Amino acid sequence: MGISIMVKDPHILGKESAKEDQTSWPLFEYNYPKSMKILIATEKPFAAAAVKAMEEIITAAGIEVVKLEKYTEKKQLLEAVAAVDGIIIRSDIVDAEVLDAAKNLKIVVRAGAGYDNIDLAAATAHNVVAMNTPGQNANAVAELVFGMLLFQCRNQFSGAAGTELMGKTLGLHAFGNVARNVARVAKGFGMEVYAYDPFLTKEQIESAGVKAVESIPELYSTCQYVSLHCPATKETIGSINYDLLKTMPKNACLINTARKEVVDEAGLMKLMEERADFKYIADVKPAAADDFVEKFGTRVFFTPKKSGAQTAEANSNAGIAAAKQSVGFLKEGIDRFKLN
Ligand code: 3PG
């Protein structure tokens, strides 16, 4: 809806009549489009510099920025979305209730890779475009994989003799942007890298200098270390289970920077009870995190808060990409990275 203002317009009557009798100018209605609004809704805020850069991009396009950071209740989000045209989120949940409350909404951009926090079917039903920003925080997540791996291989820096990564086998479960960065770093450590991805050909995987395996069971039975990089979908949820994990070689270690839901926690717990050599490290805490720590002590490690994408660089990359994509869509209809 536009803002209508009534003005006297001399051009309607022509210059001569305007000069003669300005009071006779007719009223003319101009329709100025009302400023659009983009909400940055982040329970876990971006770094301040990233937010500043996002605000600059959005305001330069003549769009107003609204911010809801560190919110604690869904009702705050429901209120904040009421009059906005676009929303930029991180792991924040955008479900049918949020979409119902956002009457003007046209686009939601997940500043990040995984978009299981957006109800895509509901977005489509509400005529809202959903996007993500693939690759923008991939290096940050990959570096965290190695931060956690080194910490765990050195017995959480307890001083007890640990192990090295050089010469060890690393399996990448799915081979997207994060896994490609993990492969690059792993090669620097001298690891032997394998990957499986149902959506890529052997040639596509091997062109990145890693060995492609033909199946998920082959990946797990070959690799001492397996790093998860698959999204949480109906095919993958609970799929990393007891039967699969039990085939991993001696001194196995599972690394999860993807989503907690892909691991069958009960199966993992059973296996770790049976195999004292098995370790689990995750940036996505299992629901039963306390039980795992109580039972397995330093054989498990969970970041206190999800940290994979928490670098200044990743915040800026993903935030700026999300701001540009939101503006591009609202102003010019550009729908690259559209998910629905
Ligand atoms: C992603 O899917 O991009 C990562 O899980 C990062 O999530 P975050 O933005 O909540 O840190």
Side-chain angles (χ1 to χ4, degrees), residues 44 90-91 110-115 137 141 257-259 306 309-310:
K44 179 177 62 183
R90 295 186 65 175
S91 289
R110 194 284 191 239
Y115 48 87
N137 57 24
V141 180
T257 54
R259 292 291 180 268
K306 189 178 169 210
Q310 277 300 62

PDB file of all heavy atoms in Angstrom, residues 44 90-91 110-115 137 141 257-259 306 309-310, ligand 1:
ATOM      1  N   LYS A  44      20.737 -15.569  18.105  1.00  0.00           N
ATOM      2  CA  LYS A  44      22.196 -15.512  18.302  1.00  0.00           C
ATOM      3  C   LYS A  44      22.694 -14.463  17.317  1.00  0.00           C
ATOM      4  O   LYS A  44      22.816 -14.724  16.116  1.00  0.00           O
ATOM      5  CB  LYS A  44      22.774 -16.894  17.973  1.00  0.00           C
ATOM      6  CG  LYS A  44      24.268 -16.995  18.095  1.00  0.00           C
ATOM      7  CD  LYS A  44      24.742 -18.423  17.816  1.00  0.00           C
ATOM      8  CE  LYS A  44      24.435 -18.885  16.417  1.00  0.00           C
ATOM      9  NZ  LYS A  44      24.816 -20.259  16.130  1.00  0.00           N
ATOM     10  N   ARG A  90      19.089 -16.610  11.237  1.00  0.00           N
ATOM     11  CA  ARG A  90      20.159 -17.612  11.297  1.00  0.00           C
ATOM     12  C   ARG A  90      19.478 -18.966  11.541  1.00  0.00           C
ATOM     13  O   ARG A  90      18.789 -19.438  10.662  1.00  0.00           O
ATOM     14  CB  ARG A  90      21.173 -17.241  12.381  1.00  0.00           C
ATOM     15  CG  ARG A  90      21.897 -15.953  12.036  1.00  0.00           C
ATOM     16  CD  ARG A  90      22.994 -15.638  12.995  1.00  0.00           C
ATOM     17  NE  ARG A  90      24.061 -16.634  12.936  1.00  0.00           N
ATOM     18  CZ  ARG A  90      25.206 -16.558  13.610  1.00  0.00           C
ATOM     19  NH1 ARG A  90      25.418 -15.528  14.408  1.00  0.00           N
ATOM     20  NH2 ARG A  90      26.132 -17.491  13.495  1.00  0.00           N
ATOM     21  N   SER A  91      19.613 -19.518  12.756  1.00  0.00           N
ATOM     22  CA  SER A  91      18.917 -20.792  13.014  1.00  0.00           C
ATOM     23  C   SER A  91      17.512 -20.552  13.551  1.00  0.00           C
ATOM     24  O   SER A  91      16.849 -21.481  14.033  1.00  0.00           O
ATOM     25  CB  SER A  91      19.717 -21.643  14.003  1.00  0.00           C
ATOM     26  OG  SER A  91      20.881 -22.109  13.369  1.00  0.00           O
ATOM     27  N   ARG A 110      17.788 -17.245   5.030  1.00  0.00           N
ATOM     28  CA  ARG A 110      18.546 -17.897   6.091  1.00  0.00           C
ATOM     29  C   ARG A 110      20.026 -17.576   5.813  1.00  0.00           C
ATOM     30  O   ARG A 110      20.591 -18.040   4.805  1.00  0.00           O
ATOM     31  CB  ARG A 110      18.295 -19.412   6.020  1.00  0.00           C
ATOM     32  CG  ARG A 110      18.723 -20.186   7.234  1.00  0.00           C
ATOM     33  CD  ARG A 110      20.210 -20.389   7.307  1.00  0.00           C
ATOM     34  NE  ARG A 110      20.523 -21.359   8.343  1.00  0.00           N
ATOM     35  CZ  ARG A 110      21.290 -21.101   9.385  1.00  0.00           C
ATOM     36  NH1 ARG A 110      21.847 -19.919   9.550  1.00  0.00           N
ATOM     37  NH2 ARG A 110      21.537 -22.054  10.261  1.00  0.00           N
ATOM     38  N   ALA A 111      20.627 -16.729   6.660  1.00  0.00           N
ATOM     39  CA  ALA A 111      22.045 -16.399   6.496  1.00  0.00           C
ATOM     40  C   ALA A 111      22.849 -17.598   6.982  1.00  0.00           C
ATOM     41  O   ALA A 111      23.208 -17.690   8.143  1.00  0.00           O
ATOM     42  CB  ALA A 111      22.390 -15.151   7.281  1.00  0.00           C
ATOM     43  N   GLY A 112      23.081 -18.528   6.089  1.00  0.00           N
ATOM     44  CA  GLY A 112      23.766 -19.765   6.448  1.00  0.00           C
ATOM     45  C   GLY A 112      23.398 -20.837   5.445  1.00  0.00           C
ATOM     46  O   GLY A 112      22.726 -20.567   4.434  1.00  0.00           O
ATOM     47  N   ALA A 113      23.826 -22.062   5.749  1.00  0.00           N
ATOM     48  CA  ALA A 113      23.632 -23.149   4.788  1.00  0.00           C
ATOM     49  C   ALA A 113      22.357 -23.959   5.044  1.00  0.00           C
ATOM     50  O   ALA A 113      21.491 -24.086   4.176  1.00  0.00           O
ATOM     51  CB  ALA A 113      24.850 -24.057   4.822  1.00  0.00           C
ATOM     52  N   GLY A 114      22.244 -24.499   6.271  1.00  0.00           N
ATOM     53  CA  GLY A 114      21.121 -25.401   6.572  1.00  0.00           C
ATOM     54  C   GLY A 114      19.826 -24.626   6.730  1.00  0.00           C
ATOM     55  O   GLY A 114      19.787 -23.605   7.407  1.00  0.00           O
ATOM     56  N   TYR A 115      18.780 -25.117   6.095  1.00  0.00           N
ATOM     57  CA  TYR A 115      17.509 -24.374   6.138  1.00  0.00           C
ATOM     58  C   TYR A 115      16.365 -25.230   6.694  1.00  0.00           C
ATOM     59  O   TYR A 115      15.195 -24.992   6.425  1.00  0.00           O
ATOM     60  CB  TYR A 115      17.158 -23.806   4.753  1.00  0.00           C
ATOM     61  CG  TYR A 115      17.272 -24.807   3.618  1.00  0.00           C
ATOM     62  CD1 TYR A 115      16.224 -25.638   3.282  1.00  0.00           C
ATOM     63  CD2 TYR A 115      18.454 -24.908   2.893  1.00  0.00           C
ATOM     64  CE1 TYR A 115      16.330 -26.553   2.260  1.00  0.00           C
ATOM     65  CE2 TYR A 115      18.574 -25.834   1.852  1.00  0.00           C
ATOM     66  CZ  TYR A 115      17.517 -26.642   1.547  1.00  0.00           C
ATOM     67  OH  TYR A 115      17.624 -27.559   0.537  1.00  0.00           O
ATOM     68  N   ASN A 137      29.539 -19.480   5.161  1.00  0.00           N
ATOM     69  CA  ASN A 137      30.186 -19.729   6.457  1.00  0.00           C
ATOM     70  C   ASN A 137      30.938 -21.064   6.458  1.00  0.00           C
ATOM     71  O   ASN A 137      31.328 -21.573   7.508  1.00  0.00           O
ATOM     72  CB  ASN A 137      29.164 -19.661   7.602  1.00  0.00           C
ATOM     73  CG  ASN A 137      28.014 -20.633   7.419  1.00  0.00           C
ATOM     74  OD1 ASN A 137      28.162 -21.632   6.734  1.00  0.00           O
ATOM     75  ND2 ASN A 137      26.891 -20.364   8.050  1.00  0.00           N
ATOM     76  N   VAL A 141      33.110 -23.251   9.614  1.00  0.00           N
ATOM     77  CA  VAL A 141      32.684 -24.552  10.153  1.00  0.00           C
ATOM     78  C   VAL A 141      33.819 -25.568   9.989  1.00  0.00           C
ATOM     79  O   VAL A 141      34.136 -26.338  10.905  1.00  0.00           O
ATOM     80  CB  VAL A 141      31.386 -25.041   9.473  1.00  0.00           C
ATOM     81  CG1 VAL A 141      30.957 -26.392  10.044  1.00  0.00           C
ATOM     82  CG2 VAL A 141      30.255 -24.023   9.643  1.00  0.00           C
ATOM     83  N   THR A 257      29.289 -31.476  12.960  1.00  0.00           N
ATOM     84  CA  THR A 257      29.060 -30.024  12.924  1.00  0.00           C
ATOM     85  C   THR A 257      27.830 -29.745  12.054  1.00  0.00           C
ATOM     86  O   THR A 257      27.602 -28.604  11.645  1.00  0.00           O
ATOM     87  CB  THR A 257      30.271 -29.265  12.329  1.00  0.00           C
ATOM     88  OG1 THR A 257      30.571 -29.830  11.051  1.00  0.00           O
ATOM     89  CG2 THR A 257      31.476 -29.322  13.231  1.00  0.00           C
ATOM     90  N   ALA A 258      27.053 -30.807  11.772  1.00  0.00           N
ATOM     91  CA  ALA A 258      25.900 -30.664  10.868  1.00  0.00           C
ATOM     92  C   ALA A 258      24.622 -30.404  11.684  1.00  0.00           C
ATOM     93  O   ALA A 258      24.338 -29.247  12.040  1.00  0.00           O
ATOM     94  CB  ALA A 258      25.788 -31.895   9.989  1.00  0.00           C
ATOM     95  N   ARG A 259      23.876 -31.449  11.975  1.00  0.00           N
ATOM     96  CA  ARG A 259      22.660 -31.323  12.773  1.00  0.00           C
ATOM     97  C   ARG A 259      22.573 -32.501  13.722  1.00  0.00           C
ATOM     98  O   ARG A 259      22.839 -33.633  13.327  1.00  0.00           O
ATOM     99  CB  ARG A 259      21.409 -31.303  11.865  1.00  0.00           C
ATOM    100  CG  ARG A 259      21.272 -30.062  11.005  1.00  0.00           C
ATOM    101  CD  ARG A 259      20.970 -28.812  11.821  1.00  0.00           C
ATOM    102  NE  ARG A 259      20.835 -27.617  11.001  1.00  0.00           N
ATOM    103  CZ  ARG A 259      21.828 -26.767  10.695  1.00  0.00           C
ATOM    104  NH1 ARG A 259      23.050 -26.974  11.154  1.00  0.00           N
ATOM    105  NH2 ARG A 259      21.606 -25.709   9.943  1.00  0.00           N
ATOM    106  N   LYS A 306      26.594 -23.562  20.040  1.00  0.00           N
ATOM    107  CA  LYS A 306      26.897 -23.861  18.642  1.00  0.00           C
ATOM    108  C   LYS A 306      27.807 -22.756  18.077  1.00  0.00           C
ATOM    109  O   LYS A 306      27.426 -21.583  18.059  1.00  0.00           O
ATOM    110  CB  LYS A 306      25.582 -23.941  17.862  1.00  0.00           C
ATOM    111  CG  LYS A 306      25.745 -24.457  16.456  1.00  0.00           C
ATOM    112  CD  LYS A 306      24.381 -24.546  15.772  1.00  0.00           C
ATOM    113  CE  LYS A 306      24.519 -24.788  14.303  1.00  0.00           C
ATOM    114  NZ  LYS A 306      23.425 -24.218  13.532  1.00  0.00           N
ATOM    115  N   ALA A 309      29.633 -21.373  12.857  1.00  0.00           N
ATOM    116  CA  ALA A 309      29.592 -20.192  11.988  1.00  0.00           C
ATOM    117  C   ALA A 309      29.907 -18.910  12.747  1.00  0.00           C
ATOM    118  O   ALA A 309      29.745 -17.820  12.216  1.00  0.00           O
ATOM    119  CB  ALA A 309      28.211 -20.085  11.345  1.00  0.00           C
ATOM    120  N   GLN A 310      30.378 -19.061  14.002  1.00  0.00           N
ATOM    121  CA  GLN A 310      30.596 -17.862  14.822  1.00  0.00           C
ATOM    122  C   GLN A 310      32.006 -17.301  14.662  1.00  0.00           C
ATOM    123  O   GLN A 310      32.822 -17.345  15.590  1.00  0.00           O
ATOM    124  CB  GLN A 310      30.275 -18.162  16.291  1.00  0.00           C
ATOM    125  CG  GLN A 310      28.807 -18.075  16.637  1.00  0.00           C
ATOM    126  CD  GLN A 310      28.192 -16.705  16.397  1.00  0.00           C
ATOM    127  OE1 GLN A 310      28.144 -16.221  15.273  1.00  0.00           O
ATOM    128  NE2 GLN A 310      27.718 -16.063  17.456  1.00  0.00           N
TER     129      GLN A 310
HETATM  130  C1  3PG B   1      24.428 -23.272   8.973  1.00  0.00           C
HETATM  131  O1  3PG B   1      23.566 -24.110   8.661  1.00  0.00           O
HETATM  132  O2  3PG B   1      24.781 -22.382   8.202  1.00  0.00           O
HETATM  133  C2  3PG B   1      25.122 -23.409  10.299  1.00  0.00           C
HETATM  134  O3  3PG B   1      24.560 -24.416  11.043  1.00  0.00           O
HETATM  135  C3  3PG B   1      25.220 -22.103  11.067  1.00  0.00           C
HETATM  136  O4  3PG B   1      24.117 -21.859  11.883  1.00  0.00           O
HETATM  137  P1  3PG B   1      24.016 -20.526  12.765  1.00  0.00           P
HETATM  138  O5  3PG B   1      23.846 -19.376  11.841  1.00  0.00           O
HETATM  139  O6  3PG B   1      22.853 -20.739  13.647  1.00  0.00           O
HETATM  140  O7  3PG B   1      25.293 -20.393  13.556  1.00  0.00           O
END
